[in-house]
Amino acid sequence: MPQIIFLPHAELCPEGVAVEAKTGETVLDVALRCGISIEHACEKSCACTTCHVIVREGFRSLNPSDELEDDMLDKAWGLEPDSRLGCQARIADEDLVVEIPKYTVNMVSEGH
């Protein structure tokens, strides 16, 4: 079973955390299941960038992004070459190291 290491984030997981993931789950679903409240204003429909994450290790093992995700990522704060939308990045069989950016383009927390 692959493991995701979420790097420390001042508000969402100050200590960082390592969690088990199931192949085929999205990075966002794993985070939410483990109590890491990553924003997802569009309810996981690839219509916003609030679940933007940076995959520091294991990026190439994820499913490829499609054109819609790439277009949305262009609007994300702090975009990097290894950026993905957490709602679209499906886990394969490789461990991941994920950074949650400090900011999103969402000015108000949706409070899911």
Side-chain angles (χ1 to χ4, degrees):
M1 196 176 268
Q3 182 181 65
I4 301 179
I5 297 170
F6 288 96
L7 297 175
H9 181 281
E11 294 175 16
L12 301 178
C13 58
E15 304 296 318
V17 66
V19 298
E20 296 290 319
K22 296 176 188 159
T23 300
E25 273 187 299
T26 65
V27 171
L28 177 60
D29 285 337
V30 173
L32 295 174
R33 176 170 47 80
C34 297
I36 302 170
S37 300
I38 296 176
E39 284 288 332
H40 52 288
C42 71
E43 295 297 328
K44 308 177 196 174
S45 66
C46 196
C48 74
T49 62
T50 57
C51 68
H52 167 228
V53 296
I54 303 162
V55 182
R56 296 292 180 201
E57 293 179 23
F59 180 84
R60 296 199 189 295
S61 71
L62 298 171
N63 63 308
S65 61
D66 62 19
E67 188 175 344
L68 178 59
E69 181 182 359
D70 292 340
D71 287 347
M72 290 307 303
L73 279 168
D74 285 341
K75 302 171 187 174
W77 184 91
L79 183 67
E80 294 193 16
D82 293 334
S83 288
R84 289 294 304 266
L85 296 181
C87 69
Q88 301 300 304
R90 294 207 174 270
I91 299 155
D93 55 356
E94 201 171 301
D95 293 348
L96 304 176
V97 175
V98 174
E99 179 181 344
I100 304 165
K102 185 174 182 178
Y103 302 108
T104 72
V105 295
N106 200 16
M107 296 302 229
V108 178
S109 176
E110 299 295 326
H112 288 275

